[in-house]
Structures are given as structure tokens and as C-alpha cells.
Amino acid sequence: MTKKVVIIGGVAGGASTATRLRRLDEKAQITIIERGEYISYANCGLPYHIGNVIKERNALLLLTPEIMKQRYNVDVLVNQEVIKIDRQNKRVLVKRKDKSEYGLDYDKLVISTGSSPIRPPIPGIDSSRVMSLWTIPDTDKIKAYVSDSKVKSALVVGGGFIGLELAENLKALGLKVTLVEMLDQVMTLYDYEMAQLIHESLEENGINLILNNGVASFEDKGQGVNVTLKDGQVIYSDLVIMSIGVRPNSDLAKDANIATNQKGGIIVDDHMLTEDPDIYAVGDVIEVEDFIDKSRTMIPLAGPANKQGRIAADNIAGIKSSYDGTQGTCIVRIFELTAASTGYNEKYLQKQGLVRNKDYHTLTITQNSHAGYYPGATPLTLKLIFSNDGKKIYGGQIIGRDGVDKRIDSIATVMRLNASVLDLKNLEFAYAPPYSSAKDPVNMAGFVAENILTGLVKFSDWDVIEKNPDLQVLDIREEAERVAFSLDNTINIPLGQLRERFNELDKDKDILIFCAIGVRSYNALRVLRENGFLKEKVYVYPAGTRFYISTHYKEYQMEDHTAYTVTDSGHQSDDKAIASISLDCSGLQCPGPIMQVFENLKTMAPGQLLEVTASDPGFTRDIASWCRRTGNTLISNEKIGNSYVAVVQKGGAAVRVPELAGTDGKTIIVFDGDLDKVLASFIIANGALAMGRRVTMFFTFWGLNVLRKPNKQKVKKSFLEKMFGAMMPRGTSKLKLSKMNMGGMGTAMMKYIMKEKNVDSLDELIRKAQKAGVRLVACTMSMDVMGIKEEELIDGIEFAGVGSYLADAEESNVNLFI
Ligand code: FAD
């Protein structure tokens, strides 16, 4: 007897069921009922059609009802909605567009009704300018509105993957885009610190990112909408797109008394069968088994929906295949970044009551997408979470520019096969320099996991420094690297000198080791541990400075984007300075490019130009601050295609920073170490810089105390130098007012009032001055006289004699002695 199979919903799950079933059963009478106009379309491609990346609308239509009929002999009834399931009579009630209704009998029914975007009852949400993206007609509507109404701005509500894809694609159309997210991060699948990499990219690409804020109301205003946020701020936007999640289309099932969970997900067994032996359900509308812990969950994704459709078809055709759960592997592109994840994140484990280093471990590494020496390698950051015994991988998150997809798929596969984290070491991947490294990042994750499990290494939290300000931070990078980026109050011992300089470290205090990506830190940790430093007191900052900067990108943003603009011209500009030497550092990971620049400049004559090409995105930031701090001139700093190209002029005091060239610089001699005078000098310096003037501050005699680190440094001094050092104030917190000090009371009052009135503290003024490019020069002659050593002064300052100061003074029109 011919089996009548009715499928409700004709896109991912529904179309899969129909085509598979036809291949298994030529005789079945298969009917798809779809309430929309289209079946089997590429909903995942919709955001890219909006951004004109997928130019042809037809490319989204994978199968038409006609082709379904011709190729698969499947009847497709579009623009018809199933409004009731009559389980007793095994019949569905269908409503046509003209509102007429009819009944259709089934032997087997498949529900693949998907989900719909959530639109909460926010005042004003019914405005025609507040849209959602889910279907082809939604796409047509948004596209038409953007072009017909000459839309200039868009506000996307919700930072999930569709929200992010929309933000990127609307930006590609030239719109001013704001993304509003209620939580403190976008993409909740990622742990907070990993999401910072996405935030950084969004902001770098000009998205106005608003976190920790929801929408309170919408109000039509002129041609657009006034969006009032929960904190009261109002943002005008020509277009709003809601993208805050989905809910399953399960009302039909509920009305037919088919069991659903609390979220409305239809409950099915592993053959996709509901509690009714003749009704199957697949896709976004069902509750699935979580692959990892076998709990029940809901994960709306295209891959699972398609596979479930195939399994439902198998079972209808008599093949007992079963679905073994969803692990939530997914991937999204955010401008030049790709972010992918599989399984659980750490937040989820903690919510389940699991404790890091007791129940599970994490590792975070930065590795190149392929061999560093082959052009085009870019760093990717990989976080892996695994059980305390290493037998189970709970999840992985990877963010980078290239090669993210294959690494996440390897990890997802290993998880699927229930392999252990140590199996990652042994995976044999195809390798040639353009594709990978002999030790692939996934292998590296396995090696690091083994080191953690065997106690060879211990990692810190990504925010350990702010949580523990008294920590001894050992920066084992080379001097040239530290010029580009350094943290305050670190002990600087390059790895090569560590064995000779243990005595500079306090063995009783915790030591955090810091390097560019974490590899040298691990070596340093081993050196220390092998030399008697206690296991529990020495640990490594995960993934190094690159990760630190991205996770703290807000603090370092200004440095990048004020003095230098990174253009993305996509081609070399015509008026580009001609460099005498070209250096290709593509593939070299931080600190490689900076070290190469450093080495090459040594052999060049002052004034000569060096063009450097790098693939490491962090190079842009590094080269800007490196030049600023070393007295070399950054002529240009561009993004050209996927490369970062900087032209550096050796020296060039006359043109240190292009924007600030001229003879209207300001030089300030800071001679006195009184708090009020020093404050005044930094306020003037920052003000002059804000006016586009070049500023040099020359610290001499008592002024040197301003630059002293607050902690005592282990340096060799004569008896007299020690005495002198002990008598002088060490750092900003010890400076006193020149008048009305009153045994410290006046100074304390001044600091209190400054805080009350929101005046920056001296430390903040110094930090801002350094970041903005004020040249802080310590007079080497007075340092010698006063017995102050370089190591005792804060990072990021220059050491020079009076000649350097005079050279700057000659190009200045204001010279202050404070
Ligand atoms: P759908 O494919 O949504 O199909 C359900 C169909 O049922 C709809 O066409 C609907 O009109 C119809 N229907 C509902 N009720 C009735 C009724 N009563 N009568 C008749 N017809 C009915 N997933 C990924 O894995 N990766 C991605 O990159 C990705 N990107 C996406 C981008 C966008 C813009 C969207 C919208 C989704 C994206 N998804 C992505 C999610 C993915 O498309 C869904 O998980 C998948 O389509 C679910 O398949 P489904 O069959 O359950 O539902």
C-alpha cells in the first residue's frame, strides 16, 4: 500500500526528509506543505545577500517546488499553512492564502516547522522600521528599505551570530551601524575573555558596540526610529533589526497534545519520533540530546536539522537509524575574524557547579594558522576545556583569521569520537607550509594539555593582573619588544639572561611570567622550577601579550587610533613613500616583525626608509608605539588586503610623528618633584598634545623621582647611592605638595578633591601622556649623580642626555622649566 507522508515545513529539515525518503522509497506519496512562498532556500546566506556578497537572489533558492516535483516526485504546496493536526483521524487541516481550508490524510507526519525570531512586547516594536531577518521576504523587505529609503544608519539589537552577520553586512553597504547587546558580551557561546577579541574587531571595523544595555522602547521619528535604551540614552536610526533569538514554532504540536518541553521544544526519541508513533519532528522545533552530558537541550542549527531530516526519513522507510545528539559546533565570520566553537564553554561548566583545576582545566594558546615562515600566516587563539583527568574534552573556542574552521572541526570530531585530550597530540594532519605547521595548533593544544595534566606548567587567569596587583610580573621578552608594549611594574629579564638573574626575583612571592604568545614563558617557568622556585608560585600568562592586549583592548585602543590611521585601501596608494629597504615579515608572529625592524634599522643610515610587510594584525599597534618610543618615524601604517604595511624612517627627529611635525613643539623640564608642580606639567603636556603639538618632558634631578617605580628594585648600588635613594620619594604616590603639605594632610586632601572633581590622578595623567605620545626623557647625567638606575624607572621612558633635549627644544616654541 502507498504510504502517505506529509511534511510540514519545506526548508532545512523538511526538504531533507523529503529527498532522502524519495531515495529510499519510490512509491511513497510525499507532500510538503509550506506556509511561505519558498522551499529549501539558503537561510544561512540571507545576511550575505543583504550585504551584496551573494549578489544573485536566485542563488539562495536551492530547490523550487517544480524541481522537487520533477526530480523527486514530491508534491510541494506553498503558501499553505497547516493549522491543525488531528491525530485521531491522522489528518492535517490546511489553510490556503485565500483562507479556504481542506483536510489532508497522512500515514506518517513530519513536523519541521522551525523557529521564529523573538519579538518581545517592547513599546513601539510594531513600527514598520523595526524588522527581523528570517525568511526570503524578510530579506527582500530589508534590502528594498535600505535602497529605497536611502538608509544611512542601522541599529541591530542582539549580538548572536545573525546579529553579527547583519552588522557586518549592513556596514559593508556603507551604513553607520550600532549593535546593542543586553549582556556584557556578544556571542554567549564564547567565554568572556574570548568574546573580547570579537568586540575588538567590531569596534576596529567601526561598529558602535553598546553592551550591558537593552532596548526600552522604539518611537518613529522622521524617516527613522528613536531607540531608547535601558540606561536612558536615545539613539536615532533609520532602520532597526531585532535579532535577539528564536522560539520554536511548536503551537501546532502543543494544540495536538504532543509533548513539548518548557521552552516549547517537541520531545522526540533518538529516531526523531514524538510520543505519537506516526508523527516525527526534526529541526529547530525539537528538543535534542546534548551530545556531551546527554541532558536535554535545544540547539537550533542547520547541520543538525538536515541530519535529523535524514534520520526521520530512514525510520519512515524502515531503517532504524538514530540521532546521537548535538554538540553545538558552529562558526561565524565577523569582518576579518572567524570565530568558531564546539561543546561547552567555561561559563556553562561553572553554572553546573564545576570548578576549574578541580573538575576541569582550560588552556589558551596563540598559534599561527600555518608555518610562520610562509607568507600569510596569521595568529589564531584557541581555548580548550577538558576534564580533570583529560579523558573528556568539554569544548573548544577558536578565533582567528585563517584556518579556524578546520581546527574547530578536528576538535569537534575528536569529541564526537569520545577521544581524550591527549589524543589531540597524536592526530596526524596533512602538512605543508602554506596550510599548517609540523605541529598543528590542535596538536599544540594536546601538548599543552599534557603539560598541564602532568603538572609541568600552570597557567594564570587572563585577568590575573587586575585581580592581584601585588603580583610579581616577570616579563621575559627582549628590550625591543617591550618598547612596543609593556606593562607597568614588571621585572624585565630576557629569557636568555634568566639563569644569571634569579636573584632579582622574590622567591616567596607569586611570579607571573609574561611573553609574546606564552611559549617563552613556559620555557622560563621550567627554568625557574628546575632552579628551586616553588611549583605553586610560578605560572604563565596564557597566550601572551597579544591575548592580553585584545582582552584589555579598551585600554590600548587610543594608542592605535589617534596618531595613526590604519587604512584599508586594498591597494598601494600612489603617493606612497619609496623605501630603500623592503622587509617581508609575513607569517612572523609577534614579536618577530618588531625584532626584524629593530635589527634592520641598526644597519641603516638616519633618514633611510624601511618598508615592512607583516601579516600579524597586532603589528599595526606595535609599530606605532615602537616608533614613538624609539625616536623613529612612522611615515605610513596601512592595511593593504590581508597585509599590514608600515614605512618607517630611521630616526628623523625633525619629523618624529608626521601629524606633529613642525617647530611648534613644547619642551618641559621637570626639575622639581613636588606633586602640584608635576601635576601642572603633565596637564600642560597633555593639553599641548591634544592641540597637535609635539611634547618632550625632560626629567632631571628631583623630577626623576616622578618616574621612579613604587617598589624597591633589586639593583647594585654603592652605599652612598643606597642612602640617597632611600631618602628620596619613590614614585608618584610619595610626592608631596610644595605648599600646605601639613605633614601629608594637605597632599591627601588634594588627592581627595581631585578624585571628587573627576580630575585625573597623576598616574593617570602620566599614562595618558605616554599613550598619546608625549616623549618622557630621563636625564642620564642626573640619574648618574643621584644614583638612580634605569631599572628603577617606569617603563616606556627614554634615557638621554641634554643634547637630545636641546634638539627637541630647538624645534619648540615653548620651553618651560618647572
Ligand atoms: P526552517 O529551515 O526554518 O524551516 C521551517 C519552515 O517551516 C519555514 O519555512 C516555515 O515557513 C515553515 N512552517 C512553519 N510553520 C508552518 C505551518 N504551520 N505550516 C506550513 N509551514 C510552516 N544555522 C547554521 O547552522 N549556520 C548558519 O550560518 C546559520 N545562519 C542562519 C542565518 C539566518 C538568517 C537564519 C534565519 C538562520 C540561520 N541558521 C544557521 C539556522 C538554520 O537556518 C536553522 O537552524 C534551520 O533552518 C532549521 O531548520 P528547520 O527545518 O527546523 O526550520
Side-chain angles (χ1 to χ4, degrees), residues 8-14 33-36 43-44 46-47 80-82 112-114 133-134 161-162 249 252 282-284 300-303 305:
I8 315 174
V11 188
I33 305 173
E34 166 57 54
R35 70 177 170 196
N43 32 16
C44 309
L46 302 182
Q80 302 195 17
E81 182 175 5
V82 175
S112 183
T113 45
L133 175 70
W134 205 248
F161 68 89
I162 297 178
N249 295 327
L252 263 184
V282 300
D284 286 5
L301 286 172

Side-chain angles (χ1 to χ4, degrees), residues 224-521:
V225 187
N226 263 351
V227 185
T228 305
L229 301 185
K230 293 249 161 83
D231 70 351
Q233 67 172 300
V234 180
I235 300 171
Y236 172 86
S237 185
D238 294 331
L239 164 71
V240 175
I241 303 190
M242 292 295 295
S243 184
I244 59 168
V246 293
R247 66 164 57 98
N249 295 327
S250 56
D251 287 350
L252 263 184
K254 282 187 211 159
D255 291 346
N257 284 325
I258 295 171
T260 55
N261 68 12
Q262 274 189 336
K263 290 185 177 166
I266 300 175
I267 295 170
V268 293
D269 66 9
D270 55 357
H271 304 304
M272 316 319 303
L273 195 60
T274 67
E275 61 181 342
D276 185 317
D278 296 313
I279 303 182
Y280 293 80
V282 300
D284 286 5
V285 76
I286 63 163
E287 175 191 270
V288 290
E289 183 178 88
D290 180 315
F291 173 76
I292 301 167
D293 69 1
K294 311 297 170 203
S295 62
R296 308 300 295 179
T297 184
M298 295 191 68
I299 304 178
L301 286 172
N306 277 281
K307 291 182 191 91
Q308 292 153 11
R310 180 184 166 94
I311 289 166
D314 281 357
N315 283 283
I316 293 169
I319 303 170
K320 284 271 158 224
S321 58
S322 49
Y323 187 66
D324 68 349
T326 304
Q327 73 195 73
T329 309
C330 62
I331 190 161
V332 62
R333 196 185 70 191
I334 306 133
F335 296 97
E336 54 281 292
L337 279 190
T338 299
S341 77
T342 184
Y344 298 154
N345 58 28
E346 202 182 346
K347 280 179 300 194
Y348 175 82
L349 292 185
Q350 288 174 352
K351 262 193 212 146
Q352 307 304 305
L354 273 65
V355 177
R356 170 141 38 114
N357 296 332
K358 180 171 158 281
D359 303 308
Y360 69 92
H361 292 289
T362 72
L363 64 87
T364 306
I365 55 172
T366 298
Q367 288 288 305
N368 264 340
S369 53
H370 60 247
Y373 56 83
Y374 187 86
T378 52
L380 52 82
T381 304
L382 185 158
K383 176 169 179 174
L384 197 71
I385 307 163
F386 51 97
S387 62
N388 215 27
D389 59 6
K391 288 190 179 150
K392 200 172 189 73
I393 301 175
Y394 285 127
Q397 299 159 46
I398 310 181
I399 299 181
R401 290 168 185 242
D402 187 28
V404 170
D405 49 351
K406 67 174 179 170
R407 272 64 187 227
I408 204 72
D409 286 345
S410 310
I411 293 171
T413 308
V414 168
M415 286 170 71
R416 252 305 136 161
L417 300 176
N418 289 314
S420 85
V421 73
L422 297 182
D423 289 315
L424 297 181
K425 291 186 309 168
N426 305 324
L427 295 177
E428 193 176 303
F429 296 111
Y431 159 62
Y435 303 103
S436 179
S437 299
K439 291 178 200 158
D440 186 87
V442 173
N443 294 140
M444 286 302 283
F447 298 142
V448 175
E450 180 178 50
N451 291 342
I452 292 174
L453 291 169
T454 52
L456 279 177
V457 68
K458 200 173 149 193
F459 285 95
S460 74
D461 289 353
W462 65 276
D463 55 353
V464 63
I465 295 175
E466 46 271 40
K467 280 197 219 145
N468 190 354
D470 291 334
L471 205 60
Q472 223 179 154
V473 181
L474 170 62
D475 186 342
I476 45 109
R477 293 173 305 147
E478 302 297 320
E479 182 56 33
E481 297 171 69
R482 284 203 302 272
V483 173
F485 168 78
S486 61
L487 290 164
D488 293 340
N489 300 325
T490 56
I491 300 166
N492 307 324
I493 307 177
L495 179 60
Q497 299 172 20
L498 189 58
R499 289 180 180 85
E500 289 80 54
R501 294 175 59 188
F502 294 144
N503 57 347
E504 293 173 35
L505 298 166
D506 184 345
K507 270 191 172 174
D508 298 328
K509 282 176 88 178
D510 283 11
I511 302 174
L512 173 73
I513 313 174
F514 216 82
C515 70
I517 60 165
V519 176
R520 278 175 292 169
S521 299

Side-chain angles (χ1 to χ4, degrees), residues 478-485 559 564 594-595 597-599 601-602 610 622-634 648-653 655-657 770 773-777 796-800 804 808:
E478 302 297 320
E479 182 56 33
E481 297 171 69
R482 284 203 302 272
V483 173
F485 168 78
E559 195 162 14
Y564 305 100
I594 284 291
M595 298 300 285
V597 172
F598 176 63
E599 290 302 326
L601 282 187
K602 274 191 206 163
L610 172 70
D622 287 353
I623 194 68
S625 48
W626 191 86
C627 285
R628 191 154 47 224
R629 290 177 188 170
T630 52
N632 293 294
T633 308
L634 186 61
V648 177
Q649 183 178 40
K650 175 157 180 174
V655 281
R656 286 177 50 77
V657 178
Q770 280 191 297
V774 171
R775 199 174 160 218
L776 305 186
V777 183
I797 57 169
E798 296 172 41
F799 300 93
S804 166
D808 275 8

